[in-house]
Amino acid sequence: MRTGIKVTGLFALTSGLFICLAWFFPGRMTGGGSVFMSNGGVVTSADMDSSGRVTHGFELHCSTEPPALPPTPNNLEINWGLPGDRHHFHLDVLMSADCFMDTSLNAPNPPDADFNTMIGVGTGDLDGKSGATIHFTLTDQGEPGVLDTAAYLITDAGGTVVLSVDTTRLTFGNQQAHNGN
Ligand SMILES: [Ca+2]
Ligand SMILES: [Ca+2]
């Protein structure tokens, strides 16, 4: 009986470790591109040109030891708006980035990677003013990047939504999931 309890305990312990390792491992996603309202995305913004084009570029690391911040460097730039009235979001601090394999989506390979989805939140500057917040979801669903998707929600320092883009496939660009840092 005692042996049975010990074995059960060991199993529970190793199961817990496995879950931790499965969720928090060194990884990063890089890339960028454009999403268009005309490609099925819902873009909400005070100022948007007729194409609804939003461009982005990034290098973002997966969280490894929450609540610690993800490893650095982390960069995310998003641009949108009208000619002569462009808007720009610049990430300052990546607060968290959960990386995992969503099996309902396509595989990220190549290269071999243990995740195809990153869901994150961070703070940054909106048109040069600090206090903005971004929530985002980025996916790598293979190469080239035509199946990759991006979604963002950006709020200004006052909490007003300035850009909301539902999950939308890239029209230009590619996103890459990488194991390790
Ligand atoms: Ca890709
Ligand atoms: Ca890939």
Side-chain angles (χ1 to χ4, degrees):
M1 213 31 138
R2 279 186 71 183
T3 302
I5 290 169
K6 282 180 181 175
V7 169
T8 302
L10 180 62
F11 178 75
L13 178 63
T14 53
S15 295
L17 283 172
F18 175 77
I19 290 168
C20 285
L21 289 171
W23 274 85
F24 304 116
F25 52 87
R28 64 194 166 93
M29 195 179 279
T30 61
S34 293
V35 295
F36 284 78
M37 187 161 44
S38 55
N39 196 28
V42 176
V43 179
T44 304
S45 172
D47 300 299
M48 180 64 67
D49 64 27
S50 58
S51 72
R53 182 175 186 169
V54 181
T55 63
H56 67 284
F58 67 92
E59 176 183 12
L60 297 163
H61 286 79
C62 304
S63 294
T64 52
E65 297 175 16
L69 295 176
T72 57
N74 294 301
N75 303 289
L76 173 59
E77 308 283 340
I78 299 178
N79 292 282
W80 72 96
L82 296 161
D85 186 23
R86 304 290 298 169
H87 296 284
H88 175 72
F89 175 85
H90 166 86
L91 181 76
D92 284 327
V93 179
L94 180 63
M95 306 299 291
S96 71
D98 293 334
C99 297
F100 59 94
M101 189 71 81
D102 183 340
T103 55
S104 72
L105 303 180
N106 297 287
N109 307 335
D112 284 338
D114 293 331
F115 68 102
N116 59 4
T117 302
M118 171 183 278
I119 297 179
V121 59
T123 58
D125 296 342
L126 174 68
D127 297 333
K129 291 178 63 177
S130 63
T133 300
I134 186 168
H135 289 78
F136 63 87
T137 301
L138 301 166
T139 68
D140 176 7
Q141 300 188 60
E143 318 312 319
V146 292
L147 298 180
D148 296 351
T149 63
Y152 333 99
L153 178 69
I154 299 175
T155 55
D156 66 14
T160 300
V161 173
V162 294
L163 182 70
S164 175
V165 180
D166 276 3
T167 299
T168 308
R169 285 181 174 170
L170 304 189
T171 297
F172 301 113
N174 188 22
Q175 298 173 169
Q176 286 286 19
H178 310 265
N179 287 346
N181 289 324

